[in-house]
């Protein structure tokens, strides 16, 4: 069934370069200690298989990145009409993630950032034999601290993460050049946002936390933070076309009067549907029965999320801890209170 679908999409030249997100399906139970394990998994292209064979030890980090990409994508876009639910079907994807849409721009950037993030932190955690803590920053430490601890190895993460995430795009002949250029740009944006997020983190030492001595290192934030930066870029993504400008083809804004594309912009080629109503041909599941917020003015408001169809209200009883009393010494006793709350779902 899956093979038939994949063959059809190959004919159309549509194969997602993030099929490796399907590693969540089988990758979690593999021991990753024998190179033939690489062949067991759907979703890897030949260059990724080679990378897997040579760097078996990074595979658990890549599988973890696939899990994180799926969950963080859904969490970050939970208040949007397109809420990333279709990512669950990886390595099979629908038109929403195959056709060069704004949504695929977000997912590619996030996935590319996630692999690099996961490998960089695995170095720090001592999970990988060929890397360790990031190199000591070249900047002179500020007053009152010294470099120490174990920083995230962004350098190693970028090296291996880019090789892994970009290889389906570099090797595939089936992809149209425009889609390939779009996906490469978005992968690079994901990694750039991640690199820019590297921040100085410190720990205090000294008598009873007096902080007379402080050690600092460069660390990455949680992937959620990267995803939320990428969400802003998703909302501001630029529609582009692949056009000959000078000696070679480049991605340039489709509409006149739009500022030039920079290496910090997510880009897309095809318009998305409004995702209001179900339409399998467009990869839309619609927003019926989605919970909405009646008082919000954002994208999760009943007005926007339900696309003007209106909403149904129902009451739900929630049980909460309440009337808590502190007892000497040292525990807290609470009562259970029931409270009715109004909930709304899209018609
Ligand atoms: C790989 O791990 C499995 C399960 O832990 C074990 O049975 C097998 O002997 C290991 N293979 C090698 C080559 O270490
Ligand atoms: C996303 O939308 C789908 C389709 O409306 C819904 O079934 C799913 O529960 C939503 N997921 C989240 C995380 O809100
Ligand atoms: C609904 O939106 C309002 C305003 O943004 C917010 O304060 C409130 O917590 C939201 N309610 C729920 C149930 O998410």
């Amino acid at each position: 069934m899956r093979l038939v679908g994949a063959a059809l999409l190959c004919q159309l030249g549509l194969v997602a370069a993030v099929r490796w997100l399907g590693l969540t399906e089988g990758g979690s139970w593999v021991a990753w200690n024998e190179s033939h394990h690489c062949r067991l998994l759907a979703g890897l292209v030949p260059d990724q298989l080679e990378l897997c064979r040579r760097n078996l030890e990074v595979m658990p980090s890549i599988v973890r990145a696939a899990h994180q990409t799926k969950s963080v994508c859904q969490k970050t876009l939970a208040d949007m009409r397109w809420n990333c639910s279709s990512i669950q079907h990886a390595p099979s994807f629908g038109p929403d993630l195959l056709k060069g849409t704004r949504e695929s721009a977000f997912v590619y950037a996030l996935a590319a950032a996630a692999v690099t993030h996961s490998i960089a932190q695995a170095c720090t955690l001592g999970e990988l034999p060929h890397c360790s803590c990031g190199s000591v920053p070249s900047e002179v430490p500020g007053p009152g601290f010294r470099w120490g601890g174990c920083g995230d190895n962004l350098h190693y993460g970028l090296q291996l993460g880019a090789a892994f995430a970009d290889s389906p795009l570099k090797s595939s002949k089936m992809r149209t050049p425009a889609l390939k250029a779009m996906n490469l740009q978005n992968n690079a944006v994901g990694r750039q946002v991640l690199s820019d997020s590297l921040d100085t983190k410190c720990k205090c030492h000294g008598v009873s936390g007096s902080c007379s001595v402080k050690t600092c290192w460069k660390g990455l934030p949680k992937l959620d933070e990267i995803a939320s930066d990428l969400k802003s870029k998703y909302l501001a993504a630029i529609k582009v076309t692949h056009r000959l400008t000078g000696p070679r083809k480049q991605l340039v804004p489709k509409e006149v009067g739009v500022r030039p594309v920079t290496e910090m912009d997510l880009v897309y080629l095809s318009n998305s549907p409004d995702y209001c109503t179900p339409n399998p041909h467009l990869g839309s599941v619609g927003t019926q029965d989605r919970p909405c917020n009646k008082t919000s003015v954002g994208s999760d408001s009943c007005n926007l999320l339900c696309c003007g169809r209106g909403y149904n209200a129902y009451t739900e009883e929630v049980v909460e801890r309440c009337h808590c009393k502190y007892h000497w010494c040292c525990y807290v006793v609470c009562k259970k209170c029931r409270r009715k709350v109004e909930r709304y779902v899209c018609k």
Side-chain angles (χ1 to χ4, degrees):
M1 185 59 199
R2 180 173 284 173
L3 275 177
V4 174
L8 261 175
L9 290 165
C10 281
Q11 282 170 14
L12 294 170
L14 297 176
V15 180
V18 284
R19 293 193 73 228
W20 62 270
L21 292 178
L23 285 174
T24 50
E25 291 303 298
S28 306
W29 49 260
V30 177
W32 298 112
N33 59 351
E34 293 172 31
S35 58
H36 70 86
H37 288 154
C38 298
R39 258 189 303 123
L40 296 174
L41 296 160
L44 297 186
V45 301
D47 281 355
Q48 285 173 326
L49 274 178
E50 191 53 39
L51 196 136
C52 175
R53 286 197 200 96
R54 284 198 205 153
N55 304 276
L56 268 175
E57 73 286 351
V58 299
M59 291 312 289
S61 312
I62 292 176
V63 173
R64 184 167 58 217
H67 279 289
Q68 286 179 336
T69 303
K70 285 181 165 186
S71 63
V72 170
C73 182
Q74 294 183 71
K75 194 168 143 199
T76 308
L77 300 184
D79 62 346
M80 307 291 292
R81 287 180 189 164
W82 188 84
N83 70 359
C84 204
S85 56
S86 62
I87 203 173
Q88 288 301 349
H89 305 302
S92 301
F93 293 102
D96 53 333
L97 289 178
L98 286 171
K99 283 201 339 214
T101 57
R102 188 191 282 266
E103 286 69 38
S104 71
F106 177 79
V107 168
Y108 276 65
L110 180 61
V115 204
T116 290
H117 185 264
S118 181
I119 297 173
Q121 293 203 322
C123 292
T124 316
L125 294 169
E127 290 175 0
L128 302 178
H130 302 302
C131 65
S132 64
C133 309
S135 56
V136 178
S138 53
E139 18 177 321
V140 179
F145 78 87
R146 59 185 174 81
W147 295 117
C150 181
D152 287 327
N153 197 335
L154 184 63
H155 180 76
Y156 192 80
L158 286 170
Q159 204 179 320
L160 236 58
F164 186 87
D166 290 356
S167 63
L169 296 163
K170 301 222 155 118
S171 61
S172 168
K173 293 189 188 76
M174 290 177 293
R175 199 164 312 277
T176 67
L179 203 50
K180 178 172 161 173
M182 165 189 155
N183 291 334
L184 280 173
Q185 157 101 8
N186 293 326
N187 280 5
V189 170
R191 287 189 291 266
Q192 191 58 51
V193 168
L194 181 74
S195 304
D196 291 349
S197 75
L198 195 68
D199 200 10
T200 303
K201 301 184 174 184
C202 299
K203 194 174 168 180
C204 284
H205 310 275
V207 196
S208 58
S210 65
C211 218
S212 52
V213 188
K214 214 159 66 160
T215 39
C216 303
W217 61 91
K218 294 280 184 182
L220 293 166
K222 289 176 73 173
L223 191 64
D224 301 71
E225 214 171 286
I226 312 301
S228 120
D229 284 358
L230 287 172
K231 183 181 183 178
S232 316
K233 294 190 181 292
Y234 161 73
L235 296 172
I238 301 178
K239 186 176 186 183
V240 292
T241 174
H242 202 218
R243 188 183 295 148
L244 207 58
T245 43
R248 57 195 190 91
K249 282 194 158 184
Q250 283 185 320
L251 296 171
V252 292
K254 176 107 184 190
E255 264 118 60
V256 288
V258 176
R259 65 177 171 77
V261 175
T262 73
E263 60 209 11
M264 289 307 280
D265 289 312
L266 289 183
V267 294
Y268 65 97
L269 295 163
S270 9
N271 286 334
S272 304
D274 58 17
Y275 296 110
C276 282
T277 50
N279 183 337
H281 297 291
L282 299 172
S284 169
V285 287
T287 62
Q288 195 183 348
D289 296 331
R290 286 277 299 277
C292 64
N293 184 332
K294 210 176 105 162
T295 49
S296 161
V297 288
S299 54
D300 63 342
S301 68
C302 291
N303 187 22
L304 284 175
L305 194 66
C306 310
C307 309
R309 294 187 305 268
Y311 52 88
N312 293 319
Y314 64 97
T315 49
E316 193 176 49
E317 201 175 65
V318 292
V319 181
E320 292 170 325
R321 281 152 54 96
C322 58
H323 305 302
C324 295
K325 278 212 181 82
Y326 178 75
H327 288 253
W328 183 264
C329 171
C330 294
Y331 60 99
V332 177
V333 178
C334 296
K335 288 190 173 153
K336 276 183 186 168
C337 292
R338 293 168 190 282
R339 188 167 64 92
K340 286 200 162 76
V341 285
E342 286 270 296
R343 304 256 193 234
Y344 309 93
V345 293
C346 293
K347 280 191 179 165

